[in-house]
């Protein structure tokens, strides 16, 4: 049994929230440049250049890549041999969000509820997903998620007979219909299988997978590649103004489901594909 | 890289009609920020026949809710928000003299019709390029609805604000034309 103080988790959330919002990682930038070379539209190429210049300014001046610094989606993988001490875990995470969004000059975009629409003022609460895993470490992942791309999320309960072709058509259509709204080029997260709440979470987890990494299952890896190709034939292009690069990558997270179902969820991340992690 | 057309805000009708989809522009002058919540209030004022917090005639509205400014900065990261959420409100503003809108993503048929009828232009700013765009905003001050926080109406002084003409006053729509041009099959 190892003791972990929730204060350390809180500090990690604070630091990652600021870092992820202001710094696009080296891997993402390299990948981005590689995709930029595939763009044929002159407008699209200019947009790619502006996005790269934007990332440079954001990193150097430590200002947010995008003004929508998002909801703080926090994934915690807690080792089952960890004993958390020092207070309430949820409070600690929220405190990290509060400090990060205040001290990092990040925008506060969270409302108390969706109808009366009163801002909470400090970007809390965080949206926390906890997984208990073997071991005695805690992995903290913060994935700030913007509203523009989140609004383009889709879910459908396909008929099992529609199979993988039905899934592909649904995903391509979701990205094509989203057009310029989610700030393409986008990263496409696809969740397959599970009950309703699980398939959406899988789609979101798919967005955490590094750009360019293929599914471990060769069948799904091939589907990811085919989807990327088809999505990039839609012509939507950077910012929806026409071009060859609509998506940077497609990731699928698949899993078990009921004999009567074929649920699919699509979650899009804008080119500002922000997340960071720390292991405590 | 294509040539950048210099635009001054507020805009005249002639300046609007000279612009064509695909034009790269640098906007200088005074623009106003407003998002959904502010749009709702502006349209309510028009319906009640009351004065607006700024003069709509020739005005340019930027759909943005900036991040807080760091000390020494005029504004924080300030890229565009998705424009379709303003679609229900824009025609009423266009009818009252609004000449330019800056945002991201396509617009509704109603908005496009109002743009052709009254002469207005829609600029696409690069969504997610909030750090870069903030460099062209030299001054920003809240002039209405401070209680809306990021969504308050701001008067912004801009210099060479980078944008692309996405929908013009002649019915041209780069979201449709651009996609058509680069679509393969299907
Ligand atoms: S979709 Fe992403 S990049 Fe675009 S405005 Fe929203 S958070 Fe920013």
């Amino acid at each position: 049994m190892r003791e972990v103080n929730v204060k350390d988790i809180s500090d990690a959330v604070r630091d990652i929230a600021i870092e992820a919002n202001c710094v696009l990682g080296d891997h993402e930038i390299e990948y981005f440049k590689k995709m930029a070379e595939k763009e044929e539209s002159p407008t699209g190429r200019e947009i790619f250049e502006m996005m790269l210049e934007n990332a440079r300014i954001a990193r150097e001046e430590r200002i947010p890549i995008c003004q929508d610094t998002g909801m703080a989606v926090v994934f915690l993988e807690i080792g089952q041999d960890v004993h958390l001490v020092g207070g309430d875990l949820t409070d600690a995470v929220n405190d990290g969000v509060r400090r990060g969004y205040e001290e990092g000059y990040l925008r506060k975009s969270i409302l108390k509820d969706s109808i009366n629409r009163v801002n909470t003022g400090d970007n809390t609460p965080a949206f926390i997903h906890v997984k208990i895993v073997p071991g005695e470490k805690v992995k903290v992942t913060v994935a700030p998620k913007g509203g523009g791309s989140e609004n383009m999320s889709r879910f459908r309960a396909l008929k099992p007979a529609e199979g993988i072709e039905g899934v592909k058509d649904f995903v391509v259509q979701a990205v094509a219909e989203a057009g310029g709204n989610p700030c393409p080029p986008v990263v496409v997260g696809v969740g397959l299988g599970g009950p309703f709440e699980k398939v959406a979470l899988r789609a979101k987890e798919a967005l955490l997978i590094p750009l360019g990494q293929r599914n471990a299952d060769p069948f799904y890896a091939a589907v990811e590649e085919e989807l990327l190709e088809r999505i990039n034939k839609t012509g939507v292009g950077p910012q929806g103004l026409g071009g060859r690069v609509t998506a940077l990558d497609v990731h699928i997270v698949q899993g078990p489901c009921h004999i009567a179902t074929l649920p699919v969820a699509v979650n899009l991340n804008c080119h500002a594909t922000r997340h960071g992690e720390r292991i405590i | 890289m294509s040539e950048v057309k210099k635009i001054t805000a507020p805009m005249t009708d002639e300046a609007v009609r000279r612009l064509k989809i695909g034009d790269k522009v640098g906007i200088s002058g005074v623009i106003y920020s407003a998002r959904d919540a502010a749009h709702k209030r502006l349209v309510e004022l028009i319906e009640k026949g009351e004065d607006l917090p700024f003069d709509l005639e020739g005005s340019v509205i930027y759909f943005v809710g900036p991040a807080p400014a760091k000390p020494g900065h005029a504004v924080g990261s300030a890229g565009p928000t998705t424009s379709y959420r303003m679609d229900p409100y824009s025609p009423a503003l266009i009818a009252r003299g609004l000449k330019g809108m800056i945002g991201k993503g396509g617009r509704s048929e109603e908005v496009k019709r109002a743009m052709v009828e009254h002469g207005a232009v829609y600029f696409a700013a690069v969504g997610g390029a909030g750090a870069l765009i903030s460099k062209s905003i030299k001054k920003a001050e809240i002039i209405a609805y401070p209680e809306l926080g990021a969504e308050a109406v701001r008067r912004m002084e801009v210099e060479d604000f980078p944008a692309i003409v996405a929908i013009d006053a002649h019915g041209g729509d780069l979201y449709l034309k651009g996609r058509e041009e680069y679509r393969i099959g299907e």
Side-chain angles (χ1 to χ4, degrees):
Chain A
M1 188 71 87
R2 176 172 166 251
E3 283 196 352
V4 171
N5 195 310
V6 294
K7 178 78 175 66
D8 293 333
I9 296 176
S10 177
D11 288 346
V13 169
R14 175 207 173 272
D15 297 349
I16 304 169
I18 298 175
E19 187 77 4
N21 265 303
C22 301
V23 181
L24 209 53
D26 292 334
H27 171 70
E28 282 77 16
I29 295 208
E30 281 316 307
Y31 189 92
F32 210 73
K33 287 185 181 156
K34 204 181 81 198
M35 293 304 279
E37 283 167 23
K38 299 188 182 179
E39 188 49 66
E40 292 168 21
S41 139
T43 303
R45 294 185 81 100
E46 275 167 17
I47 290 168
F48 263 110
E49 271 172 40
M50 284 169 75
M51 287 171 173
L52 283 164
E53 174 67 4
N54 181 66
R56 188 189 62 76
I57 295 173
R59 179 195 283 237
E60 272 172 20
E61 300 193 12
R62 280 290 191 282
I63 52 179
I65 300 163
C66 175
Q67 76 292 337
D68 184 353
T69 50
M71 317 176 245
V73 180
V74 178
F75 295 89
L76 296 175
E77 285 183 23
I78 303 176
Q80 63 190 26
D81 295 326
V82 169
H83 178 210
L84 295 172
V85 297
D88 183 297
L89 174 64
T90 307
D91 287 349
V93 170
N94 283 331
D95 185 55
V97 169
R98 188 174 298 117
R99 289 185 292 135
Y101 276 71
E102 194 52 46
E103 292 163 22
Y105 298 93
L106 308 181
R107 200 181 75 183
K108 289 80 181 169
S109 315
I110 302 303
L111 307 178
K112 287 194 183 116
D113 73 78
S114 54
I115 302 303
N116 295 308
R117 310 195 74 79
V118 177
N119 200 301
T120 62
D122 58 8
N123 219 55
T124 66
F127 299 92
I128 308 172
H129 303 291
V130 179
K131 220 185 244 175
I132 303 296
V133 297
E136 49 169 35
K137 296 220 157 36
V138 176
K139 182 170 158 191
V140 182
T141 305
V142 182
K145 187 67 172 71
S149 49
E150 192 71 1
N151 272 344
M152 299 296 121
S153 309
R154 293 287 179 270
F155 164 80
R156 188 172 289 170
L158 293 173
K159 291 191 222 39
E162 291 177 84
I164 193 67
E165 293 310 318
V167 169
K168 289 180 200 162
D169 289 347
F170 179 70
V171 174
V172 174
Q173 195 191 352
V175 182
E177 281 177 5
N181 297 331
C183 294
V186 290
V187 180
V188 184
V190 181
L192 283 178
F196 179 63
E197 77 282 7
K198 183 79 185 175
V199 71
L201 189 56
R202 286 194 171 126
K204 179 134 277 142
E205 283 168 352
L207 298 178
L208 300 176
I209 297 169
L211 292 170
Q213 182 176 308
R214 290 281 62 85
N215 197 295
D217 180 329
F219 173 81
Y220 288 106
V223 175
E224 287 175 343
E225 276 172 15
E226 187 189 332
L227 279 172
L228 182 60
E229 202 182 310
R230 275 182 64 184
I231 288 167
N232 284 339
K233 282 183 179 170
T234 58
V236 170
Q239 296 293 314
L241 297 172
R244 295 273 178 249
V245 187
T246 303
L248 296 169
D249 207 356
V250 181
H251 300 292
I252 298 174
V253 174
Q254 75 278 11
C257 72
H258 186 276
I259 49 173
T261 71
L262 199 182
V264 50
V266 178
N267 197 206
L268 301 182
N269 220 352
C270 28
H271 69 274
T273 166
R274 304 161 286 190
H275 49 86
E277 57 184 54
R278 182 185 289 178
I279 293 170
I280 299 169
Chain B
M1 213 181 260
S2 55
E3 196 200 330
V4 178
K5 291 194 179 175
K6 302 256 179 209
I7 303 286
T8 315
M11 297 181 75
T12 62
D13 206 48
E14 299 79 74
V16 166
R17 296 194 189 270
R18 267 200 301 274
L19 294 171
K20 301 265 178 323
I21 54 170
D23 286 351
K24 253 187 89 178
V25 301
I27 305 167
S28 301
V30 173
I31 63 175
Y32 298 92
S33 75
R35 293 170 43 105
D36 335 22
H39 270 75
K40 186 161 179 264
R41 295 190 187 191
L42 294 176
V43 170
E44 279 166 7
L45 288 178
I46 291 181
E47 281 166 1
K48 282 192 244 156
E50 290 175 19
D51 284 345
L52 299 190
F54 60 94
D55 187 6
L56 268 183
E57 196 54 51
S59 65
V60 176
I61 292 183
Y62 181 21
F63 306 148
V64 62
K70 271 191 162 178
H73 290 233
V75 69
S77 192
T81 193
T82 319
S83 306
Y84 72 84
R85 298 197 317 273
M86 268 50 78
D87 284 354
Y89 310 113
S90 291
L93 300 178
I94 294 169
R96 287 299 219 77
L98 175 71
K99 284 286 162 208
M101 295 165 282
I102 312 172
K104 67 169 168 103
R107 309 301 306 271
S108 69
E109 289 306 320
E110 290 74 32
V111 174
K112 291 195 250 179
R113 254 200 306 278
M115 289 171 63
V116 172
E117 187 179 339
H118 300 281
V121 60
Y122 171 60
F123 303 101
V126 175
L132 174 79
I133 292 170
S134 73
K135 296 284 143 198
S136 65
I137 302 173
K138 304 298 175 190
K139 230 176 123 182
E141 84 182 286
I142 295 181
I143 58 162
Y145 317 136
E147 67 282 8
L148 293 179
E151 298 206 50
V153 173
R154 289 170 171 79
R155 177 184 185 277
M156 294 179 161
E157 286 176 24
V158 296
E159 252 175 61
D160 290 321
F161 181 110
I164 296 158
V165 176
I167 303 176
D168 61 29
H170 312 282
D173 184 340
L174 190 57
Y175 292 100
L176 302 178
K177 186 170 163 270
R179 188 190 290 208
E180 206 42 50
E181 204 170 313
Y182 289 95
R183 193 166 55 113
I184 303 171
E186 292 191 60

